[in-house]
Amino acid sequence: MEVVSFDIAGLKLLIPRRLSDDRGYFSETFRADAFFRSCGDDVFVQDNESLSVREGTIRGLHFQSKPHEQGKLVRCTRGALFDVVVDIRHGSPTFGQWTGEVLSAANGRQLWVPAGFAHGFCTLEPNTVIAYKVTAYYSAECDKGLAWNDPEIGVPWPDIADHETLSAKDRKQPLLANLPIYFSWSE
């Protein structure tokens, strides 16, 4: 598995190797020892999956606050999506900066999103499925978010991004400037 680091500390792109033949391919999509070496000693406790029927569906930007903060290992198992992660660790040299990756069933790429980041995506194809492992159980009290289109962050979402697909919760998320301090930077 190839592991690529970003300018934003902590984020990793995992590119599993695919062994292909005329029948298709085989890929080892997760291996704990390799993950621990590359990303840290986080342990996954829950797997989640989400189907978005329409292309252009926007979900996020979401995170969980302490004491149930979550790291996420995200991949697309059907279709394609533009996956976005924003650093919300106060004091971080990259606070408010974002990165985005196209994750698809075809490319098999996975994004490691540690706690301290807001995460969201826009589907690029209909019937897209995103699957992710998380390091803490879901907690409604700790379920938080950030405005997906905050101009201070400046994510250039795909042209097909449709704000009409936002959930009621995501329509009311705060801007980064109004977000309480949930995470602090530590080297």
Side-chain angles (χ1 to χ4, degrees):
M1 181 176 297
E2 181 183 355
V3 179
V4 178
S5 296
F6 293 91
D7 290 339
I8 301 174
L11 297 177
K12 304 281 184 182
L13 181 66
L14 285 68
I15 307 171
R17 191 173 70 156
R18 288 185 171 176
L19 304 172
S20 301
D21 62 22
D22 59 343
R23 300 168 295 168
Y25 70 84
F26 169 84
S27 182
E28 193 173 78
T29 61
F30 179 76
R31 186 177 163 125
D33 60 347
F35 180 83
F36 294 158
R37 271 194 311 274
S38 302
C39 301
D41 60 357
D42 291 282
V43 175
F44 298 107
V45 299
Q46 181 177 316
D47 282 4
N48 300 326
E49 183 175 285
S50 167
L51 165 69
S52 295
V53 175
R54 293 176 46 196
E55 71 179 6
T57 297
I58 304 163
R59 296 183 188 255
L61 301 161
H62 302 143
F63 62 94
Q64 280 201 178
S65 63
K66 295 179 181 183
H68 299 286
E69 65 269 28
Q70 291 181 332
K72 298 177 181 178
L73 181 59
V74 182
R75 68 189 189 118
C76 180
T77 59
R78 182 168 63 192
L81 56 93
F82 178 60
D83 206 52
V84 173
V85 187
V86 179
D87 186 350
I88 58 170
R89 302 169 296 177
H90 278 264
S92 164
T94 54
F95 176 77
Q97 293 182 24
W98 65 277
T99 194
E101 284 290 323
V102 172
L103 305 181
S104 69
N107 71 24
R109 293 174 170 212
Q110 300 177 61
L111 193 59
W112 166 238
V113 182
F117 292 84
H119 170 259
F121 62 91
C122 173
T123 59
L124 302 174
E125 296 178 9
N127 297 310
T128 290
V129 176
I130 183 172
Y132 49 103
K133 298 178 168 307
V134 294
T135 60
Y137 297 110
Y138 174 75
S139 166
E141 307 82 52
C142 297
D143 186 7
K144 309 293 183 204
L146 177 64
W148 71 282
N149 60 348
D150 185 334
E152 182 181 339
I153 298 168
V155 175
W157 292 92
D159 290 340
I160 62 170
D162 182 0
H163 70 277
E164 295 298 322
T165 63
L166 287 166
S167 68
K169 175 181 87 171
D170 288 345
R171 292 174 193 265
K172 299 184 290 187
Q173 298 294 6
L175 298 174
L176 183 64
N178 300 325
L179 192 69
I181 297 175
Y182 291 110
F183 301 97
S184 295
W185 168 253
S186 62
E187 295 187 49

